[in-house]
Amino acid sequence: MTRAVRIFWRIFLYGTLAVILLLVLINFGVFGKMPSLAQLENPSITLATEVFADDGTPMGKYFRDRGNRSYVKYGDISKHVVDALVATEDERFYDHSGIDGRSLSRAILKLGRDGGGSTITQQLALNMFDSRATNIFLRIIQKIKENIIAIKLERNFTKQEILALYLNTVSFSDNVYGIRNASRTFFSKEPDRLTVPEAAVLVGMQKATSTYNPRTNYKLAFDRRNTVIDQMVRNNYLSAASANDMKKEPIRLNYNKMDENNGIAPYFLDVLRGDLKAWCKENKKENGEPYDLYADGLRIYTTINPRMQLYAEEAVAKHLPVLQRALSRQQNIKSDAVWKGKEKVLEAAMKASDRWDNMKKEGMSDDEIRKSFNTKVSMKVFAWNPKREKDTVMSPLDSIKYHHEMVQTAFMVTDPQNGQVKAWVGGIDFKNYKYDHANLRTKRQVGSSIKPYLYALAVEEYGFTPETQCEATQQYFPGFGYVPAKNRGKTGTRTMASGLAWSVNEVAAYIIKQTTAQRFAEFLKQINIPTKVDPYPSIALGSCDLSLFEMMWGYSMFPTGGFSAKPVYITRIEDKNGHILARFDTDRKEVISQATAYTMARMMQGVTDFGTAAGLRSRLGVAEMGGKTGTTNDNSDAWFMGYTPQLLAGVWIGCDDRFIRLDNGLGEGGQAARPIWEYFFQKAFADKTLGLDRSAKFVQPENMKTESFYDYYNIIDKTPPPGAEGENVGSGGADDFLGTPDTQNIPTESKQAMEEQKVLQEATNAKNQVPVEKKENATQPKQEEKKKPGFFKRIFGGKKDKE
C-alpha cells in the first residue's frame, strides 16, 4: 500500500470518526439541549386554553403570542389539506424515513434555487426549536439536529401522526397557528370541512405567510393557490379537468379572527382568566408543575348561555345610547363645569396613560408632556354607532374627559335555583374600557336596592307583615343624627308593602330603628354578603358599597324559598385530552324561611305593579315577579334588581367618576337601569328555545295558602307619596324618554363572535352526522396506518415495521 493511499484511508477514517463523534455529541446535547424520548413521544405543543358556553359553543381562548393553537386529530383534518401539503411540500413523504436524499441533493447542487430540501418531518423538527438560528455555524449545528430529530420522529410516530403534529404546530398568515385556527380564521369552518381550493390557499401560505396572505395580497395568494392545485394534479391527487375548474374560482374568504376583544362575553372572559390563573397556581400536573393557562390546552366549561348573553348585550346597546345622549346634553358636561376642581383626577389620568409613559421615556419634562396633552391630534374613540367607534380630532386631555364621561353599566343574569350565571356584561365596550363592573370586587353604593334585605329581616325576626303600619317620618338615632338626613316634612304611616313599593326612605329608617343597625349588619353577613358593612343607621337607605355580584348572591334567596346561591360560572375543567380535572358545584344554603321568602317575593311585586317600576309586570305579561329599584345620592348610581321564578337579573348604571351623573331624575333606578332589565326579559321570553314560562309562580308554603293579605289593591298606595323615588317617573319604557334615537344598528360585542360560532357549530353538527367509518376512510392517506415500534426498539434505534 502506497503512502498516498495510507494517508487517504487515514483521513477517511479520522473524518468518519469525527463525524460520528460530532453526531454523538449533538445527540447528547453538548451543542444545546436535544428533545428527550419522552418529548418526542409527547411533543410539547403550546396549546391555548379554550372556553365553552353551556351549549358547547366556543367562547374564546387564552394564549401567548405563538400559543393560539387548538389541537385537532388527524381524522378531523380534511383529506384535501393532507394531499395538498404532501404534494406541495414533500412529494415522497410516504417513501422516505425523515430525510429525502433526492431533494437534499437537488437543494445542495442548485443552492436552493429550486426550493429547499427539507421534508415535512424535518420542518416539524425545526418547529420544535424556539427560533431558527441566524449564525452560519449555529445553523449548521441546528440543521444536523433537525436531521437527527427527524429520524427519531419517523421511528416513534406514524406518518399520520407526523402530519397531524405538523399541521397543529405550523404558522399561517396573520400570526395564526395550527390548522384548526387557520380554518376558523380564514373560512369560519372546522378543518375537516375544507374544500380543495380552501385547503390549497392554506397550504400555499407555507411558502411565505406574509407574501401569500389572501386578505392582504390577493393576487399573489390566488396564483400560489393555483400552483398548489397544479401540484396536486402532478401527484395524482386531483384530475386535470376538475383542477382547471377550481383554478378559475376566486378565493372566497369568510374571515373572522378571534382575539381577547371579540370573543363571546369579553368582560366575563377577562374575569374568568383571573380565576383560572389562581386555579392553575394551586393545582399541579403529574410532573409536579403547576398548570399553565396559556400552554396546556385546558378546556373550561362555563354556565354562560350564548343567547342570553347576546340579549343582555343588546339590551345595553339599546338603552345606553339614550342615557349617554342625555348626559352629553347636560350643561355642566357641555361647558366642562363638571371638571371644575377635579384637576387631580385629570392629572392622575394623564400620568396613567401610555402617552405620558412613552414621552417620559423619551426624556421629556412633565411640563412639556402636559403641554402635549392640550395639542389636538387625530384619533379613534368609542362611540355608540354601527362601528362602535369614530374618527375625530381632539386633544389627549379632551379624550380623557370624553372617556370618563361615558355612562357605564354592569348587567348579570343567573338561574337563582343553582346560581349559574347565564349572562355577564361588565361594561359598555371591552376594547376601549377593560374595567369590569360586575365582579365581586367592584363595589358601588347600592341605594334603595338594599331595602329588601332589611324588610326580609323585619319579616323573619320581628313579626312584620306587608300590612304592618310603619311610621313614614324622619327618624332620630342618638349619636348618628336623623335618617334620612333631609326632612321632607312627611307625617303619618304607610303599610310596609307601600313603603317598599314606593321606596319610602322614612319607612326604611323606621324599620331599622326596630331591628337595630347592628342586627341588620349581622343579617347581611348571614345571607352571605361578603363585604363587611358597618352598622350605621344610614345603611337602611343603602349608604354602603356592594358589588353587583354580591347583590345577585343576596337576592337569590327571594325566588328560591329562602336559599342563597352564590353565582357560579364554571362547571368543570378538563385537560387537553378530555380528562376532568375539577368540577364546580353550587354553593347553596338556606338563609331565611320559605314563608319569609314568599312574603318578600309577593311584596316586591308591588314595585313592578304600582311602585317605582310601575307597569313592568303587565308589560312583560308574567304571572308573578319581584323587583326593586335603587338610586343613590345625586343619582351617581342607579340599580334595578328583579326576578321571576326562573331567572334573576341585576343592572347597575353610573359613571366611573361619581361626580359625573345624570340630572333631572334620569339617573334614578326606574329610568336608568330598569329599561335594560326589561328589554332583556322581553327578548328572553320571546325565545322559545330558552324554555321560560310567563305563567310560572313562586312556590307558596302550605301554611300560607289560606292567607289573603296579598291583595295589593288594598294595602299598597296607588299614587306615589311626596318625595318617593318613583315620583313622576310614569310607567313607560326606555323609548318614552328623550325621544327615540336609532340604536337598532349598534352591534353587540358578542354578535360577530356569535355569528362565527353559528357557522362553526353547523359545521360540527354536520361532521357529527358522518358515520365514523366513513369519516376515517375519507381521510386515509396513500398508505395504511402503521404500528408504532416497540418501546425497546425505539430506545435502541431498531428499524421501523414495514408496511
Side-chain angles (χ1 to χ4, degrees):
M1 183 181 298
T2 66
R3 184 170 180 271
V5 172
R6 286 198 302 271
I7 293 173
F8 168 79
W9 283 110
R10 189 175 297 167
I11 292 173
F12 176 80
L13 179 61
Y14 289 157
T16 302
L17 290 174
V19 170
I20 293 173
L21 178 62
L22 178 64
L23 293 176
V24 171
L25 292 175
I26 289 174
N27 187 54
F28 283 96
V30 173
F31 295 96
K33 187 177 180 181
M34 288 279 288
S36 66
L37 182 65
Q39 288 173 309
L40 290 176
E41 292 179 329
N42 300 286
S44 180
I45 302 174
T46 300
L47 296 177
T49 287
E50 295 189 79
V51 181
F52 300 91
D54 66 351
D55 63 353
T57 300
M59 294 178 63
K61 300 178 181 181
Y62 305 118
F63 54 88
R64 296 189 182 94
D65 289 342
R66 293 188 59 185
N68 185 13
R69 297 184 179 93
S70 299
Y71 187 80
V72 58
K73 296 178 181 178
Y74 178 85
D76 292 326
I77 301 172
S78 169
K79 175 182 183 294
H80 306 311
V81 174
V82 173
D83 292 346
L85 179 66
V86 172
T88 308
E89 297 292 324
D90 192 354
E91 292 177 321
R92 288 174 292 280
F93 173 72
Y94 295 108
D95 301 320
H96 64 66
S97 298
I99 300 173
D100 186 350
R102 286 170 57 184
S103 295
L104 185 61
S105 300
R106 184 201 69 230
I108 295 172
L109 292 174
K110 296 188 177 183
L111 301 177
R113 287 190 296 271
D114 292 344
S118 293
T119 63
I120 289 175
T121 315
Q122 287 173 298
Q123 293 178 50
L124 174 60
L126 178 60
N127 288 342
M128 299 181 75
F129 293 95
D130 293 333
S131 62
R132 185 188 183 97
T134 54
N135 178 278
I136 295 177
F137 174 75
L138 294 179
R139 179 61 189 136
I140 292 173
I141 296 296
Q142 190 179 63
K143 193 67 180 177
I144 297 173
K145 288 182 179 180
E146 287 176 27
N147 293 337
I148 295 173
I149 294 171
I151 294 171
K152 288 185 175 182
L153 285 170
E154 288 280 344
R155 291 182 178 278
N156 286 275
F157 290 95
T158 66
K159 290 292 186 179
Q160 291 183 2
E161 289 170 332
I162 290 171
L163 287 169
L165 282 170
Y166 177 85
L167 288 167
N168 276 299
T169 58
V170 75
S171 64
F172 295 84
S173 299
D174 287 344
N175 203 33
V176 174
Y177 291 86
I179 186 63
R180 169 171 279 168
N181 285 341
S183 179
R184 288 176 173 179
T185 298
F186 289 95
F187 300 107
S188 293
K189 60 173 62 175
E190 289 294 304
D192 65 339
R193 313 304 297 178
L194 291 168
T195 63
V196 171
E198 291 167 344
V201 169
L202 296 180
V203 170
M205 295 177 189
Q206 297 305 300
K207 187 175 179 67
T209 55
S210 297
T211 303
Y212 300 109
N213 185 337
R215 188 178 59 83
T216 57
N217 297 317
Y218 179 86
K219 180 62 170 63
L220 291 175
F222 179 86
D223 293 340
R224 179 62 184 165
R225 180 203 67 177
N226 290 350
T227 298
V228 174
I229 291 175
D230 287 338
Q231 283 295 109
M232 294 179 73
V233 173
R234 173 182 165 179
N235 288 275
N236 299 317
Y237 290 114
L238 202 61
S239 69
S242 59
N244 288 333
D245 292 336
M246 292 176 186
K247 287 161 65 176
K248 296 175 184 177
E249 297 178 10
I251 297 176
R252 298 184 177 89
L253 296 180
N254 189 357
Y255 188 87
N256 281 298
K257 187 176 181 182
M258 182 177 290
D259 61 26
E260 66 170 3
N261 293 320
N262 64 7
I264 297 176
Y267 282 100
F268 168 77
L269 291 175
D270 194 51
V271 172
L272 180 63
R273 182 202 307 267
D275 292 347
L276 293 174
K277 280 183 177 179
W279 183 89
C280 288
K281 187 176 181 180
E282 295 169 359
N283 291 269
K284 311 292 184 183
K285 294 182 284 189
E286 290 182 356
N287 62 8
E289 295 180 358
Y291 283 95
D292 188 335
L293 179 64
Y294 302 105
D296 287 337
L298 300 176
R299 299 167 66 85
I300 315 300
Y301 292 88
T302 74
T303 62
I304 297 293
N305 182 283
R307 303 180 77 86
M308 290 193 195
Q309 179 65 33
L310 184 58
Y311 299 151
E313 293 186 23
E314 284 181 356
V316 168
K318 181 179 177 65
H319 187 57
L320 260 293
V322 176
L323 298 179
Q324 190 60 54
R325 190 173 75 156
L327 179 65
S328 299
R329 285 178 174 179
Q330 288 179 187
Q331 186 58 36
N332 65 337
I333 299 295
K334 291 194 294 183
S335 68
D336 253 8
V338 72
W339 292 103
K340 187 176 180 180
K342 304 299 180 184
E343 290 76 12
K344 290 184 178 180
V345 175
L346 294 174
E347 178 82 1
M350 284 192 291
K351 290 185 175 180
S353 68
D354 291 336
R355 175 184 291 270
W356 185 286
D357 187 50
N358 293 332
M359 296 180 80
K360 200 71 177 174
K361 288 177 181 177
E362 292 173 5
M364 297 181 69
S365 68
D366 287 1
D367 288 339
E368 289 174 320
I369 298 174
R370 288 191 188 94
K371 185 177 179 180
S372 75
F373 270 82
N374 288 298
T375 303
K376 291 186 176 182
V377 294
S378 298
M379 63 177 69
K380 287 183 183 291
V381 296
F382 170 75
W384 284 113
N385 62 30
K387 292 184 178 180
R388 296 180 71 92
E389 66 179 15
K390 67 178 180 181
D391 293 301
T392 188
V393 176
M394 65 171 69
S395 71
L397 181 60
D398 285 337
S399 75
I400 289 174
K401 294 177 181 178
Y402 176 86
H403 283 90
H404 279 247
E405 290 166 4
M406 280 289 166
V407 180
Q408 290 290 342
T409 189
F411 185 26
M412 189 186 297
V413 182
T414 66
D415 179 339
Q417 304 299 330
N418 53 29
Q420 291 189 355
V421 176
K422 296 303 176 184
W424 180 303
V425 182
I428 58 175
D429 186 78
F430 185 74
K431 181 179 179 181
N432 291 282
Y433 305 93
K434 294 289 194 286
Y435 188 74
D436 178 85
H437 299 83
N439 66 84
L440 179 63
R441 291 176 292 278
T442 301
K443 301 172 185 181
R444 294 289 293 233
Q445 197 174 50
V446 293
S448 296
S449 61
I450 202 173
K451 290 176 182 175
Y453 301 150
L454 176 63
Y455 279 58
L457 171 61
V459 173
E460 178 82 354
E461 298 182 6
Y462 293 87
F464 280 64
T465 71
E467 298 168 303
T468 299
Q469 293 292 322
C470 302
E471 293 180 12
T473 58
Q474 188 183 38
Q475 301 291 316
Y476 179 75
F477 294 83
F480 296 101
Y482 286 95
V483 178
K486 183 179 179 181
N487 186 355
R488 292 181 285 189
K490 292 185 181 180
T491 59
T493 61
R494 299 275 176 181
T495 63
M496 189 188 199
S498 287
L500 184 60
W502 291 110
S503 200
V504 180
N505 285 340
E506 287 78 5
V507 171
Y510 170 78
I511 294 175
I512 200 170
K513 198 166 189 178
Q514 315 311 306
T515 66
T516 75
Q518 181 63 43
R519 178 63 193 117
F520 183 40
E522 293 169 354
F523 182 73
L524 291 175
K525 182 178 180 180
Q526 178 183 318
I527 62 173
N528 295 325
I529 301 295
T531 296
K532 183 180 184 300
V533 177
D534 293 325
Y536 299 117
S538 59
I539 61 175
L541 312 184
S543 60
C544 56
D545 285 8
L546 297 175
S547 64
L548 175 61
F549 189 98
E550 291 173 298
M551 294 299 287
M552 295 291 290
W553 195 347
Y555 267 70
S556 65
M557 66 184 177
F558 298 129
T560 59
F563 285 85
S564 168
K566 180 181 180 180
V568 61
Y569 38 79
I570 307 175
T571 56
R572 70 183 187 277
I573 298 175
E574 295 180 356
D575 66 13
K576 63 184 178 182
N577 298 313
H579 301 136
I580 296 177
L581 303 176
R583 292 185 183 275
F584 299 85
D585 299 320
T586 299
D587 182 1
R588 188 171 186 264
K589 73 172 185 177
E590 188 173 12
V591 291
I592 57 175
S593 67
Q594 185 182 13
T596 296
Y598 184 75
T599 298
M600 289 303 303
R602 304 301 295 121
M603 221 186 343
M604 291 171 73
Q605 184 166 299
V607 175
T608 64
D609 282 349
F610 316 111
T612 54
L616 175 58
R617 185 174 69 91
S618 63
R619 290 193 299 275
L620 290 176
V622 298
E624 293 183 356
M625 67 171 294
K628 185 69 190 77
T629 56
T631 308
T632 64
N633 292 337
D634 300 318
N635 297 337
S636 293
D637 303 272
W639 296 77
F640 185 75
M641 304 293 300
Y643 53 87
T644 67
Q646 294 173 295
L647 282 183
L648 165 66
V651 184
W652 167 83
I653 293 288
C655 292
D656 286 332
D657 297 295
R658 301 190 192 199
F659 59 85
I660 303 175
R661 47 186 173 263
L662 285 159
D663 294 336
N664 302 319
L666 294 173
E668 294 181 346
Q671 293 187 47
R674 184 267 309 160
I676 293 175
W677 193 100
E678 182 173 348
Y679 182 82
F680 168 82
F681 272 83
Q682 287 173 347
K683 296 285 289 187
F685 277 121
D687 187 340
K688 301 304 180 184
T689 66
L690 297 179
L692 300 178
D693 184 5
R694 294 178 190 266
S695 63
K697 294 185 177 183
F698 301 110
V699 177
Q700 185 175 8
E702 288 294 329
N703 62 350
M704 298 180 71
K705 289 186 176 179
T706 59
E707 299 184 22
S708 59
F709 60 77
Y710 297 105
D711 184 353
Y712 292 102
Y713 286 94
N714 293 327
I715 62 175
I716 294 181
D717 300 317
K718 309 307 181 297
T719 57
E725 184 183 348
E727 185 176 15
N728 298 325
V729 169
S731 58
D735 294 342
D736 295 321
F737 304 101
L738 311 170
T740 312
D742 179 17
T743 62
Q744 300 305 312
N745 296 320
I746 298 176
T748 64
E749 292 190 277
S750 293
K751 189 169 187 178
Q752 183 177 358
M754 289 286 289
E755 291 171 349
E756 176 187 359
Q757 300 307 335
K758 181 180 179 183
V759 174
L760 296 177
Q761 192 61 49
E762 289 174 353
T764 301
N765 292 340
K767 177 187 72 176
N768 291 337
Q769 292 171 4
V770 179
V772 174
E773 294 80 9
K774 182 178 179 180
K775 183 173 69 175
E776 290 179 348
N777 290 337
T779 56
Q780 289 297 316
K782 294 166 62 177
Q783 293 188 345
E784 293 296 322
E785 179 76 17
K786 67 179 183 180
K787 295 181 179 180
K788 288 187 179 180
F791 178 72
F792 288 103
K793 278 189 178 181
R794 282 184 275 164
I795 289 181
F796 296 108
K799 293 184 179 180
K800 295 184 296 182
D801 294 340
K802 298 296 182 183
E803 311 288 30

